[in-house]
Amino acid sequence: MKTDVNGISTYFEEYGPKDAPTVLVLPGWMAKASLYRIVSDTLSDKYHVILLDMPGFTGDTPEPPEAWDLDGFVDFTISFIKTLEIQSLTLIGHSFGGRIIIKMMNRPDLPFITERIVLIDAAGIRHELSGKAKRRQQMFKLAKHFMSEKQVEHYKETHGSADYRAASPLMRECMVKAINEDLTELLPGVKQETLLIWGTADTATPISDGEMMEQKMPDAGLARIEGAGHFSFADEPVIFGNILLSYFK
């Protein structure tokens, strides 16, 4: 299904009765909406579940008109909720989707009520670079003074993360702008009841991030999935589904 959001033809999937309480799922960076069907499979008997495809993530929703920072994605999400005329909802965010939710919950006067939140292996806490990474960064900054623009881009393509290498030039700009913001100081601003679901073997957003969020958010609880990684819902779908069902009961 598609709807127009500020001129962007936005793809989303919709499950469950439309007159039931709404659950909106925000994806991880460059992840398809369909990856999160475990949420709709688990909850759609009693909830209206919407899986959103973010601009530029998969091609189902086109890229944003310019390189957005995190606030750009927050603005888009708010506009999507307004477009669907949703008055109240539960928000679920995985990885980058969690980053959007944390920033959004610190906005004053949102045009909807957030009943509660589920964050799955959420991003938002910036970590100190390792000594090796710092040295690599310093060498790159120095080398940039002697490189052409083409050489700089080639360096990024060969040394950047898999997500960076796979992205288009515009989405690379979005990535650099959106994922570098440290949201640690915003965690106390997430006042809603929040369930944190985390894989203990997550290396992208380690379990210590979940523990910090539990400590700093006023009304948060942490559910650990032993041995699961950054996509804990895919690594252990049965355990994840049971946690979700238990919480929503």
Side-chain angles (χ1 to χ4, degrees):
M1 187 173 295
K2 287 202 168 188
T3 189
D4 184 275
V5 181
N6 298 338
I8 299 174
S9 179
T10 302
Y11 175 80
F12 65 99
E13 298 183 7
E14 200 170 21
Y15 302 91
K18 290 188 177 181
D19 59 349
T22 298
V23 175
L24 174 61
V25 183
L26 305 183
W29 184 258
M30 304 304 279
K32 293 178 72 70
S34 59
L35 183 64
Y36 301 92
R37 286 179 185 162
I38 185 172
V39 178
S40 55
D41 291 345
T42 303
L43 299 178
S44 60
D45 283 350
K46 296 182 179 180
Y47 291 88
H48 175 215
V49 181
I50 299 171
L51 313 179
L52 177 59
D53 188 83
M54 282 288 173
F57 277 25
T58 67
D60 293 326
T61 300
E63 293 183 351
E66 59 186 6
W68 286 349
D69 58 10
L70 181 56
D71 282 301
F73 287 98
V74 172
D75 292 339
F76 171 82
T77 304
I78 293 171
S79 294
F80 175 81
I81 295 169
K82 289 173 65 178
T83 298
L84 267 60
E85 299 181 343
I86 298 169
Q87 303 300 315
S88 65
L89 76 171
T90 293
L91 289 168
I92 297 181
H94 169 238
S95 192
F96 183 75
R99 187 186 288 273
I100 293 173
I101 291 171
I102 293 167
K103 190 72 182 284
M104 188 162 61
M105 290 303 100
N106 279 269
R107 290 276 189 94
D109 304 320
L110 289 170
F112 54 86
I113 296 170
T114 303
E115 301 287 350
R116 52 186 169 177
I117 294 167
V118 180
L119 299 181
I120 308 162
D121 299 286
I125 296 174
R126 189 171 183 177
H127 300 98
E128 284 293 322
L129 294 174
S130 66
K132 182 178 179 181
K134 284 181 179 178
R135 288 192 296 272
R136 186 167 63 244
Q137 187 182 72
Q138 289 167 353
M139 288 178 65
F140 174 63
K141 286 180 178 179
L142 180 63
K144 277 175 66 177
H145 295 289
F146 306 99
M147 286 178 166
S148 66
E149 186 176 335
K150 186 175 180 179
Q151 289 172 321
V152 169
E153 191 56 37
H154 176 71
Y155 183 92
K156 290 179 178 179
E157 287 180 356
T158 54
H159 291 80
S161 68
D163 284 341
Y164 184 87
R165 295 195 302 271
S168 71
L170 178 64
M171 294 309 294
R172 288 176 181 177
E173 287 188 58
C174 290
M175 185 178 180
V176 171
K177 288 183 175 183
I179 70 171
N180 285 330
E181 186 175 353
D182 187 4
L183 305 182
T184 304
E185 297 304 315
L186 298 184
L187 297 179
V190 181
K191 308 293 187 184
Q192 293 79 2
E193 178 184 296
T194 301
L195 171 64
L196 306 162
I197 304 177
W198 233 273
T200 60
D202 188 342
T203 56
T205 55
I207 186 67
S208 58
D209 287 6
E211 293 166 347
M212 180 181 290
M213 290 185 187
E214 182 183 31
Q215 179 185 12
K216 289 184 175 291
M217 291 177 178
D219 190 11
L222 177 62
R224 296 168 173 82
I225 301 182
E226 293 296 326
H230 189 56
F231 292 82
S232 55
F233 57 92
D235 291 344
E236 295 288 353
V238 174
I239 295 174
F240 175 84
N242 288 337
I243 292 171
L244 211 56
L245 270 179
S246 177
Y247 180 63
F248 277 83
K249 281 181 180 178

mmCIF file of all heavy atoms in Angstrom, residues 116-148:
data_model
loop_
_atom_site.group_PDB
_atom_site.id
_atom_site.type_symbol
_atom_site.label_atom_id
_atom_site.label_comp_id
_atom_site.label_asym_id
_atom_site.label_seq_id
_atom_site.Cartn_x
_atom_site.Cartn_y
_atom_site.Cartn_z
ATOM 1 N N ARG A 116 2.827 3.536 24.378
ATOM 2 C CA ARG A 116 4.018 2.859 24.906
ATOM 3 C C ARG A 116 4.973 2.581 23.758
ATOM 4 O O ARG A 116 4.653 2.792 22.581
ATOM 5 C CB ARG A 116 3.639 1.566 25.628
ATOM 6 C CG ARG A 116 2.766 0.618 24.848
ATOM 7 C CD ARG A 116 2.338 -0.548 25.712
ATOM 8 N NE ARG A 116 1.295 -1.340 25.058
ATOM 9 C CZ ARG A 116 0.789 -2.459 25.575
ATOM 10 N NH1 ARG A 116 1.207 -2.898 26.740
ATOM 11 N NH2 ARG A 116 -0.153 -3.123 24.926
ATOM 12 N N ILE A 117 6.162 2.088 24.098
ATOM 13 C CA ILE A 117 7.249 1.960 23.136
ATOM 14 C C ILE A 117 7.923 0.597 23.311
ATOM 15 O O ILE A 117 8.080 0.106 24.431
ATOM 16 C CB ILE A 117 8.284 3.079 23.343
ATOM 17 C CG1 ILE A 117 7.670 4.448 23.012
ATOM 18 C CG2 ILE A 117 9.539 2.851 22.520
ATOM 19 C CD1 ILE A 117 8.515 5.622 23.477
ATOM 20 N N VAL A 118 8.346 0.018 22.180
ATOM 21 C CA VAL A 118 9.216 -1.158 22.192
ATOM 22 C C VAL A 118 10.442 -0.826 21.350
ATOM 23 O O VAL A 118 10.315 -0.458 20.186
ATOM 24 C CB VAL A 118 8.517 -2.412 21.620
ATOM 25 C CG1 VAL A 118 9.473 -3.605 21.646
ATOM 26 C CG2 VAL A 118 7.242 -2.729 22.404
ATOM 27 N N LEU A 119 11.620 -0.924 21.946
ATOM 28 C CA LEU A 119 12.872 -0.690 21.235
ATOM 29 C C LEU A 119 13.630 -2.007 21.131
ATOM 30 O O LEU A 119 13.878 -2.674 22.138
ATOM 31 C CB LEU A 119 13.728 0.348 21.958
ATOM 32 C CG LEU A 119 13.113 1.747 22.120
ATOM 33 C CD1 LEU A 119 14.091 2.665 22.845
ATOM 34 C CD2 LEU A 119 12.725 2.337 20.768
ATOM 35 N N ILE A 120 13.986 -2.378 19.890
ATOM 36 C CA ILE A 120 14.654 -3.650 19.627
ATOM 37 C C ILE A 120 16.088 -3.373 19.177
ATOM 38 O O ILE A 120 16.312 -2.777 18.120
ATOM 39 C CB ILE A 120 13.913 -4.444 18.533
ATOM 40 C CG1 ILE A 120 12.421 -4.581 18.867
ATOM 41 C CG2 ILE A 120 14.547 -5.816 18.340
ATOM 42 C CD1 ILE A 120 11.565 -4.954 17.659
ATOM 43 N N ASP A 121 17.058 -3.769 19.982
ATOM 44 C CA ASP A 121 18.474 -3.554 19.632
ATOM 45 C C ASP A 121 18.660 -2.146 19.074
ATOM 46 O O ASP A 121 19.228 -1.943 17.995
ATOM 47 C CB ASP A 121 18.928 -4.602 18.614
ATOM 48 C CG ASP A 121 18.809 -6.023 19.162
ATOM 49 O OD1 ASP A 121 19.633 -6.392 20.006
ATOM 50 O OD2 ASP A 121 17.883 -6.748 18.744
ATOM 51 N N ALA A 122 18.186 -1.164 19.829
ATOM 52 C CA ALA A 122 18.085 0.203 19.323
ATOM 53 C C ALA A 122 19.431 0.911 19.263
ATOM 54 O O ALA A 122 20.320 0.684 20.088
ATOM 55 C CB ALA A 122 17.124 1.005 20.201
ATOM 56 N N ALA A 123 19.565 1.796 18.278
ATOM 57 C CA ALA A 123 20.748 2.639 18.142
ATOM 58 C C ALA A 123 20.506 3.967 18.854
ATOM 59 O O ALA A 123 19.389 4.279 19.257
ATOM 60 C CB ALA A 123 21.062 2.874 16.665
ATOM 61 N N GLY A 124 21.575 4.750 18.999
ATOM 62 C CA GLY A 124 21.443 6.076 19.595
ATOM 63 C C GLY A 124 22.552 6.442 20.547
ATOM 64 O O GLY A 124 22.759 7.620 20.835
ATOM 65 N N ILE A 125 23.279 5.442 21.036
ATOM 66 C CA ILE A 125 24.385 5.708 21.962
ATOM 67 C C ILE A 125 25.697 5.635 21.188
ATOM 68 O O ILE A 125 26.016 4.621 20.564
ATOM 69 C CB ILE A 125 24.391 4.705 23.128
ATOM 70 C CG1 ILE A 125 23.118 4.876 23.959
ATOM 71 C CG2 ILE A 125 25.632 4.894 23.994
ATOM 72 C CD1 ILE A 125 22.950 3.860 25.050
ATOM 73 N N ARG A 126 26.428 6.726 21.221
ATOM 74 C CA ARG A 126 27.691 6.783 20.478
ATOM 75 C C ARG A 126 28.821 6.257 21.350
ATOM 76 O O ARG A 126 28.921 6.600 22.531
ATOM 77 C CB ARG A 126 27.976 8.220 20.044
ATOM 78 C CG ARG A 126 29.143 8.341 19.077
ATOM 79 C CD ARG A 126 29.233 9.749 18.523
ATOM 80 N NE ARG A 126 30.295 9.872 17.546
ATOM 81 C CZ ARG A 126 30.546 10.974 16.866
ATOM 82 N NH1 ARG A 126 29.821 12.063 17.077
ATOM 83 N NH2 ARG A 126 31.523 11.011 15.995
ATOM 84 N N HIS A 127 29.686 5.441 20.751
ATOM 85 C CA HIS A 127 30.789 4.830 21.493
ATOM 86 C C HIS A 127 32.121 5.460 21.095
ATOM 87 O O HIS A 127 32.286 5.951 19.980
ATOM 88 C CB HIS A 127 30.833 3.321 21.222
ATOM 89 C CG HIS A 127 29.582 2.608 21.620
ATOM 90 N ND1 HIS A 127 28.592 2.284 20.723
ATOM 91 C CD2 HIS A 127 29.148 2.179 22.830
ATOM 92 C CE1 HIS A 127 27.613 1.669 21.348
ATOM 93 N NE2 HIS A 127 27.917 1.595 22.625
ATOM 94 N N GLU A 128 33.038 5.424 22.022
ATOM 95 C CA GLU A 128 34.393 5.877 21.733
ATOM 96 C C GLU A 128 35.028 4.952 20.693
ATOM 97 O O GLU A 128 34.878 3.733 20.756
ATOM 98 C CB GLU A 128 35.242 5.858 23.008
ATOM 99 C CG GLU A 128 34.962 7.009 23.961
ATOM 100 C CD GLU A 128 35.379 8.350 23.382
ATOM 101 O OE1 GLU A 128 36.434 8.412 22.704
ATOM 102 O OE2 GLU A 128 34.648 9.332 23.583
ATOM 103 N N LEU A 129 35.738 5.534 19.741
ATOM 104 C CA LEU A 129 36.436 4.731 18.752
ATOM 105 C C LEU A 129 37.594 3.977 19.394
ATOM 106 O O LEU A 129 38.204 4.456 20.352
ATOM 107 C CB LEU A 129 36.984 5.623 17.636
ATOM 108 C CG LEU A 129 35.957 6.337 16.738
ATOM 109 C CD1 LEU A 129 36.670 7.278 15.782
ATOM 110 C CD2 LEU A 129 35.108 5.338 15.968
ATOM 111 N N SER A 130 37.859 2.799 18.869
ATOM 112 C CA SER A 130 39.032 2.060 19.324
ATOM 113 C C SER A 130 40.293 2.797 18.883
ATOM 114 O O SER A 130 40.255 3.671 18.010
ATOM 115 C CB SER A 130 39.009 0.646 18.729
ATOM 116 O OG SER A 130 39.173 0.713 17.324
ATOM 117 N N GLY A 131 41.426 2.415 19.478
ATOM 118 C CA GLY A 131 42.684 3.051 19.103
ATOM 119 C C GLY A 131 42.980 2.885 17.621
ATOM 120 O O GLY A 131 43.422 3.827 16.950
ATOM 121 N N LYS A 132 42.708 1.701 17.085
ATOM 122 C CA LYS A 132 42.948 1.430 15.666
ATOM 123 C C LYS A 132 42.046 2.298 14.794
ATOM 124 O O LYS A 132 42.492 2.867 13.791
ATOM 125 C CB LYS A 132 42.705 -0.052 15.380
ATOM 126 C CG LYS A 132 42.971 -0.458 13.943
ATOM 127 C CD LYS A 132 42.745 -1.951 13.755
ATOM 128 C CE LYS A 132 42.996 -2.367 12.304
ATOM 129 N NZ LYS A 132 42.757 -3.822 12.105
ATOM 130 N N ALA A 133 40.769 2.415 15.187
ATOM 131 C CA ALA A 133 39.823 3.221 14.410
ATOM 132 C C ALA A 133 40.193 4.699 14.454
ATOM 133 O O ALA A 133 40.075 5.413 13.456
ATOM 134 C CB ALA A 133 38.406 3.008 14.942
ATOM 135 N N LYS A 134 40.654 5.162 15.615
ATOM 136 C CA LYS A 134 41.067 6.564 15.732
ATOM 137 C C LYS A 134 42.255 6.860 14.820
ATOM 138 O O LYS A 134 42.308 7.899 14.163
ATOM 139 C CB LYS A 134 41.432 6.886 17.189
ATOM 140 C CG LYS A 134 40.236 7.066 18.108
ATOM 141 C CD LYS A 134 40.691 7.407 19.514
ATOM 142 C CE LYS A 134 39.510 7.619 20.436
ATOM 143 N NZ LYS A 134 39.943 7.903 21.832
ATOM 144 N N ARG A 135 43.220 5.935 14.798
ATOM 145 C CA ARG A 135 44.392 6.130 13.948
ATOM 146 C C ARG A 135 44.003 6.149 12.475
ATOM 147 O O ARG A 135 44.512 6.961 11.694
ATOM 148 C CB ARG A 135 45.427 5.036 14.217
ATOM 149 C CG ARG A 135 46.135 5.179 15.555
ATOM 150 C CD ARG A 135 47.332 4.261 15.643
ATOM 151 N NE ARG A 135 46.942 2.854 15.605
ATOM 152 C CZ ARG A 135 46.614 2.148 16.690
ATOM 153 N NH1 ARG A 135 46.612 2.728 17.888
ATOM 154 N NH2 ARG A 135 46.287 0.877 16.580
ATOM 155 N N ARG A 136 43.077 5.254 12.099
ATOM 156 C CA ARG A 136 42.610 5.209 10.712
ATOM 157 C C ARG A 136 41.896 6.505 10.340
ATOM 158 O O ARG A 136 42.071 7.042 9.249
ATOM 159 C CB ARG A 136 41.695 4.001 10.510
ATOM 160 C CG ARG A 136 41.271 3.803 9.055
ATOM 161 C CD ARG A 136 40.624 2.444 8.833
ATOM 162 N NE ARG A 136 39.395 2.307 9.599
ATOM 163 C CZ ARG A 136 39.209 1.421 10.569
ATOM 164 N NH1 ARG A 136 40.177 0.599 10.912
ATOM 165 N NH2 ARG A 136 38.061 1.351 11.212
ATOM 166 N N GLN A 137 41.088 7.017 11.284
ATOM 167 C CA GLN A 137 40.370 8.264 11.042
ATOM 168 C C GLN A 137 41.335 9.434 10.885
ATOM 169 O O GLN A 137 41.168 10.284 10.002
ATOM 170 C CB GLN A 137 39.393 8.518 12.191
ATOM 171 C CG GLN A 137 38.464 9.706 11.979
ATOM 172 C CD GLN A 137 37.559 9.933 13.171
ATOM 173 O OE1 GLN A 137 37.989 10.391 14.228
ATOM 174 N NE2 GLN A 137 36.283 9.590 13.016
ATOM 175 N N GLN A 138 42.350 9.483 11.748
ATOM 176 C CA GLN A 138 43.341 10.563 11.671
ATOM 177 C C GLN A 138 44.124 10.513 10.367
ATOM 178 O O GLN A 138 44.386 11.546 9.739
ATOM 179 C CB GLN A 138 44.286 10.478 12.875
ATOM 180 C CG GLN A 138 43.624 10.863 14.193
ATOM 181 C CD GLN A 138 44.467 10.481 15.400
ATOM 182 O OE1 GLN A 138 45.492 9.800 15.270
ATOM 183 N NE2 GLN A 138 44.037 10.904 16.576
ATOM 184 N N MET A 139 44.477 9.299 9.944
ATOM 185 C CA MET A 139 45.212 9.145 8.691
ATOM 186 C C MET A 139 44.362 9.593 7.506
ATOM 187 O O MET A 139 44.847 10.235 6.577
ATOM 188 C CB MET A 139 45.646 7.683 8.521
ATOM 189 C CG MET A 139 46.768 7.250 9.452
ATOM 190 S SD MET A 139 47.195 5.508 9.261
ATOM 191 C CE MET A 139 47.815 5.513 7.580
ATOM 192 N N PHE A 140 43.062 9.273 7.560
ATOM 193 C CA PHE A 140 42.176 9.669 6.470
ATOM 194 C C PHE A 140 42.023 11.188 6.410
ATOM 195 O O PHE A 140 42.066 11.791 5.336
ATOM 196 C CB PHE A 140 40.809 8.996 6.651
ATOM 197 C CG PHE A 140 39.784 9.461 5.647
ATOM 198 C CD1 PHE A 140 39.961 9.234 4.291
ATOM 199 C CD2 PHE A 140 38.647 10.131 6.066
ATOM 200 C CE1 PHE A 140 39.022 9.666 3.365
ATOM 201 C CE2 PHE A 140 37.702 10.574 5.147
ATOM 202 C CZ PHE A 140 37.892 10.333 3.789
ATOM 203 N N LYS A 141 41.864 11.823 7.573
ATOM 204 C CA LYS A 141 41.736 13.276 7.595
ATOM 205 C C LYS A 141 42.982 13.942 7.024
ATOM 206 O O LYS A 141 42.906 14.945 6.296
ATOM 207 C CB LYS A 141 41.491 13.757 9.030
ATOM 208 C CG LYS A 141 40.085 13.472 9.552
ATOM 209 C CD LYS A 141 39.928 13.982 10.979
ATOM 210 C CE LYS A 141 38.510 13.742 11.484
ATOM 211 N NZ LYS A 141 38.325 14.200 12.885
ATOM 212 N N LEU A 142 44.143 13.390 7.358
ATOM 213 C CA LEU A 142 45.390 13.932 6.835
ATOM 214 C C LEU A 142 45.497 13.703 5.328
ATOM 215 O O LEU A 142 45.858 14.607 4.564
ATOM 216 C CB LEU A 142 46.578 13.275 7.554
ATOM 217 C CG LEU A 142 47.974 13.738 7.131
ATOM 218 C CD1 LEU A 142 48.157 15.221 7.443
ATOM 219 C CD2 LEU A 142 49.034 12.903 7.831
ATOM 220 N N ALA A 143 45.151 12.506 4.892
ATOM 221 C CA ALA A 143 45.276 12.156 3.474
ATOM 222 C C ALA A 143 44.321 12.955 2.607
ATOM 223 O O ALA A 143 44.607 13.212 1.430
ATOM 224 C CB ALA A 143 45.026 10.662 3.294
ATOM 225 N N LYS A 144 43.175 13.371 3.157
ATOM 226 C CA LYS A 144 42.183 14.123 2.379
ATOM 227 C C LYS A 144 42.763 15.406 1.786
ATOM 228 O O LYS A 144 42.347 15.858 0.725
ATOM 229 C CB LYS A 144 40.979 14.476 3.262
ATOM 230 C CG LYS A 144 39.948 13.376 3.387
ATOM 231 C CD LYS A 144 38.852 13.748 4.365
ATOM 232 C CE LYS A 144 38.012 14.907 3.877
ATOM 233 N NZ LYS A 144 36.898 15.207 4.808
ATOM 234 N N HIS A 145 43.737 15.981 2.484
ATOM 235 C CA HIS A 145 44.352 17.225 2.003
ATOM 236 C C HIS A 145 45.135 17.005 0.714
ATOM 237 O O HIS A 145 45.409 17.951 -0.020
ATOM 238 C CB HIS A 145 45.265 17.819 3.070
ATOM 239 C CG HIS A 145 44.533 18.272 4.300
ATOM 240 N ND1 HIS A 145 43.707 19.381 4.309
ATOM 241 C CD2 HIS A 145 44.483 17.759 5.560
ATOM 242 C CE1 HIS A 145 43.194 19.541 5.515
ATOM 243 N NE2 HIS A 145 43.650 18.577 6.288
ATOM 244 N N PHE A 146 45.509 15.740 0.441
ATOM 245 C CA PHE A 146 46.334 15.454 -0.736
ATOM 246 C C PHE A 146 45.586 14.607 -1.766
ATOM 247 O O PHE A 146 46.155 14.212 -2.767
ATOM 248 C CB PHE A 146 47.612 14.714 -0.299
ATOM 249 C CG PHE A 146 48.384 15.438 0.757
ATOM 250 C CD1 PHE A 146 48.271 15.084 2.094
ATOM 251 C CD2 PHE A 146 49.207 16.506 0.420
ATOM 252 C CE1 PHE A 146 48.977 15.761 3.074
ATOM 253 C CE2 PHE A 146 49.920 17.189 1.401
ATOM 254 C CZ PHE A 146 49.808 16.826 2.723
ATOM 255 N N MET A 147 44.299 14.346 -1.496
ATOM 256 C CA MET A 147 43.500 13.501 -2.384
ATOM 257 C C MET A 147 42.554 14.345 -3.233
ATOM 258 O O MET A 147 42.056 15.379 -2.782
ATOM 259 C CB MET A 147 42.643 12.514 -1.568
ATOM 260 C CG MET A 147 43.376 11.362 -0.932
ATOM 261 S SD MET A 147 42.201 10.358 0.027
ATOM 262 C CE MET A 147 43.145 8.894 0.308
ATOM 263 N N SER A 148 42.261 13.849 -4.424
ATOM 264 C CA SER A 148 41.196 14.444 -5.229
ATOM 265 C C SER A 148 39.860 13.960 -4.678
ATOM 266 O O SER A 148 39.792 13.009 -3.879
ATOM 267 C CB SER A 148 41.331 14.012 -6.685
ATOM 268 O OG SER A 148 41.095 12.617 -6.811
#
